[in-house]
Amino acid sequence: MALYLIGDVQGCDSALQRLLNKISFSPSRDTLYMLGDLVNRGPDSAAVLRRLMGYGASAQCLLGNHDLHLLAAAEGARKPSRKDTLANVLQAPDREALLHWLRQQRLAIYLEHQKKQYLMVHAGVLPAWTAIQTIALASEVEQLLKSPELPDFLHQMYANQPNAWDARLRGTERLRLIVNALTRLRFCTAQGEMEFETSDGADSAPTGFMPWFDVPGRQTADVTVAFGHWSTLGWLNRPDVLALDSGCVWGGCLSALKLGAQASQHELIQVTCEQAQKPGK
């Protein structure tokens, strides 16, 4: 049995197929942990969703900002932009089945493997949150995703405030902050104030900000946090963080990390991707 962490697919089903062929993936034997942004910008989001649905429990999937964007577009809470490629889901004959499956997926996953602890999210974790707290906060949103209240929240989801955690937050503001941290975070201050405008590499932090994983005293430093979302960061391999968005949709690579018993035994497997989008276009 092998466990694989896979970065942002973003609708690039042919690249995913080639990667799965390269690792000789067997759903009866292996497990995929998909780190979010399953859909959008690439050419065939519907095929990606159908493929992962078909793998059942062998594909454990996180939701990223693009996956939530699809749910928002389906509810009329967000108009698709000119760069979006969601039509083949929104107009699919099995649209409702695809969207229902998406609503059952997670925002954070905690995994113990070979006596090592892994926390998986799409984007990042606020420095004040422990791994256990992150899972608990993610579950608040996961329950909402499955509830009749989801459409109302999706109409209120898009805003950058509040941008710092406060345990006293309630209602929409609390849920919005959790979503923004887990699916959009790149940079924050030492106090955990989030910044959402900068999407360049780790060395492009605005004054007073830093990559979320470099905040001193971060409460998840005792586990390995695996994430995607940050294509300009690329592959990052540290004992405390694994970054796996290698820019497939932009013509980079699609990456899978086969987990070993020790960090030195992890194996990175990549396939090159056809460019589906041009940056800045």
Side-chain angles (χ1 to χ4, degrees), residues 3-270:
L3 305 182
Y4 297 94
L5 312 182
I6 297 182
D8 302 34
V9 176
Q10 292 201 244
C12 297
D13 186 63
S14 62
L16 179 57
Q17 175 68 77
R18 287 186 288 110
L19 182 61
L20 297 180
N21 289 344
K22 190 169 184 177
I23 65 178
S24 299
F25 170 67
S26 169
S28 65
R29 177 192 65 213
D30 307 323
T31 302
L32 308 176
Y33 289 90
M34 310 297 297
L35 299 180
D37 278 2
L38 311 175
V39 303
N40 204 18
R41 303 282 172 83
D44 204 343
S45 293
V48 171
L49 296 181
R50 292 183 187 115
R51 177 189 299 279
L52 296 173
M53 282 177 62
Y55 292 150
S58 297
Q60 299 289 316
C61 300
L62 292 172
L63 297 178
N65 50 302
H66 283 282
D67 308 310
L68 294 175
H69 178 60
L70 169 58
L71 293 175
E75 291 292 344
R78 197 74 167 176
K79 291 183 178 180
S81 77
R82 57 189 176 86
K83 291 193 287 187
D84 287 343
T85 58
L86 299 172
N88 77 336
V89 177
L90 296 174
Q91 299 172 11
D94 55 346
R95 161 190 161 127
E96 294 309 314
L98 297 176
L99 296 174
H100 176 78
W101 177 84
L102 204 59
R103 290 174 61 170
Q104 313 309 306
Q105 306 314 305
R106 308 281 301 280
L107 268 81
I109 295 173
Y110 182 78
L111 170 71
E112 292 193 12
H113 175 66
Q114 300 284 1
K115 300 181 180 179
K116 301 291 183 183
Q117 291 79 43
Y118 298 88
L119 176 64
M120 302 174 218
V121 296
H122 174 61
V125 181
L126 286 173
W129 294 352
T130 65
I132 299 305
Q133 185 180 11
T134 302
I135 294 296
L137 293 171
S139 72
E140 295 182 26
V141 180
E142 291 161 7
Q143 292 173 35
L144 173 68
L145 285 166
K146 301 172 187 178
S147 79
E149 284 73 45
L150 178 63
D152 182 60
F153 173 71
L154 291 172
H155 279 84
Q156 303 176 69
M157 183 173 67
Y158 288 92
N160 293 338
Q161 298 294 328
N163 65 350
W165 171 244
D166 184 332
R168 295 169 295 182
L169 287 170
R170 293 292 181 267
T172 297
E173 288 195 336
R174 180 183 177 95
L175 295 166
R176 183 193 299 133
L177 182 137
I178 296 168
V179 165
N180 282 343
L182 296 177
T183 69
R184 297 179 61 204
L185 178 60
R186 293 187 180 96
F187 296 105
C188 65
T189 65
Q191 294 73 38
E193 179 184 338
M194 296 183 283
E195 192 272 349
F196 297 114
E197 301 305 318
T198 309
S199 59
D200 293 334
D203 58 355
S204 65
T207 302
F209 291 83
M210 64 194 81
W212 64 265
F213 48 80
D214 284 337
V215 172
R218 174 170 57 86
Q219 293 298 298
T220 47
D222 58 337
V223 301
T224 300
V225 183
F227 64 100
H229 183 60
W230 201 341
S231 62
T232 50
L233 179 65
W235 163 238
L236 179 62
N237 180 15
R238 295 186 351 191
D240 60 334
V241 285
L242 297 167
L244 280 152
D245 181 3
S246 41
C248 177
V249 76
W250 309 112
C253 297
L254 184 61
S255 297
L257 187 71
K258 183 179 181 181
L259 294 182
Q262 303 293 331
S264 61
Q265 296 173 316
H266 295 336
E267 181 185 357
L268 181 68
I269 305 104
Q270 295 179 311

